[in-house]
Amino acid sequence: MAVTALGRGSYEVVGESDDAYLVDLPAGRCTCPDHRFRDERCKHVRRVAIEITAGRVPAPDQIAVDCERCGETMFTEHTAFEPYLCPSHELSVGDMVYDRETGQRLLVVGLSDRRADEVSISAARGTVADHYSNREYDADDPVVSVVYPDSFELTQHGPAPDSLTVYSFPRPRLTVTPS
Ligand SMILES: [Zn+2]
Ligand SMILES: [Zn+2]
């Protein structure tokens, strides 16, 4: 039997004779006659459970996504934030990332679990979530601190320290792939 996750806890199960049934796992229901006429878990519901345990299809609270760096498919919680990255490519300090809005390259200098509406940019400009350029992003997105390496200035007196200001971005606004 071939099992395909359709999202929101629904799975399509295709048997050897090409008969396809729909399993709603959270409800424990299946569209096959066996399930409807007898009050027990049919082989399709059981098969979906086996496939989830084996890690071959995502659980109801998970989605299948590809790691932005290696392309490996993984199952992650519905609530995970982009950029989707597998455990060996998780975002870390020192990584080069790109702003999805401008394409500009950024260097990660800090990671945090704090929400965009909790981190303030300045008294006058409010929080990261309030900033006009972040309207498309959610208030509960975690914040990542970055600098623009290309804005670094070397003057005749040496490096200009003010040229490397730290900025805060909602994590989903960042990507590891240059556009
Ligand atoms: Zn069934
Ligand atoms: Zn990866």
Side-chain angles (χ1 to χ4, degrees):
M1 285 187 282
V3 177
T4 311
L6 304 175
R8 295 169 189 270
S10 289
Y11 299 83
E12 186 190 57
V13 182
V14 179
E16 285 91 37
S17 50
D18 275 352
D19 45 342
Y21 299 108
L22 208 60
V23 169
D24 178 343
L25 198 66
R29 297 177 58 124
C30 179
T31 54
C32 76
D34 272 4
H35 182 86
R36 277 184 280 154
F37 296 137
R38 297 177 216 158
D39 194 22
E40 60 180 44
R41 286 185 139 202
C42 64
K43 59 183 179 183
H44 309 108
V45 173
R46 290 199 304 269
R47 185 54 182 249
V48 170
I50 289 167
E51 294 294 299
I52 289 171
T53 306
R56 288 190 287 262
V57 295
D61 59 345
Q62 293 180 319
I63 48 170
V65 295
D66 296 336
C67 170
E68 266 198 35
R69 282 200 224 269
C70 66
E72 188 189 307
T73 301
M74 57 179 172
F75 305 139
T76 188
E77 307 306 304
H78 269 302
T79 50
F81 298 97
E82 289 186 82
Y84 298 127
L85 297 162
C86 74
S88 42
H89 292 125
E90 198 37 271
L91 214 54
S92 57
V93 170
D95 282 352
M96 201 62 81
V97 294
Y98 301 85
D99 181 356
R100 287 186 205 270
E101 302 299 322
T102 64
Q104 280 176 294
R105 120 182 136 127
L106 308 159
L107 180 69
V108 175
V109 295
L111 295 158
S112 115
D113 293 329
R114 300 197 66 207
R115 298 159 48 113
D117 60 357
E118 289 174 345
V119 176
S120 65
I121 296 175
S122 67
R125 303 176 85 179
T127 66
V128 173
D130 293 331
H131 195 260
Y132 69 91
S133 68
N134 293 330
R135 294 267 157 77
E136 301 291 310
Y137 300 89
D138 294 331
D140 64 352
D141 288 340
V143 164
V144 178
S145 301
V146 298
V147 295
Y148 288 86
D150 297 320
S151 75
F152 176 69
E153 259 179 82
L154 193 61
T155 69
Q156 54 180 350
H157 308 293
D162 290 348
S163 62
L164 279 185
T165 308
V166 177
Y167 292 89
S168 299
F169 278 72
R171 177 181 159 123
R173 187 170 159 174
L174 305 173
T175 172
V176 298
T177 341
S179 53

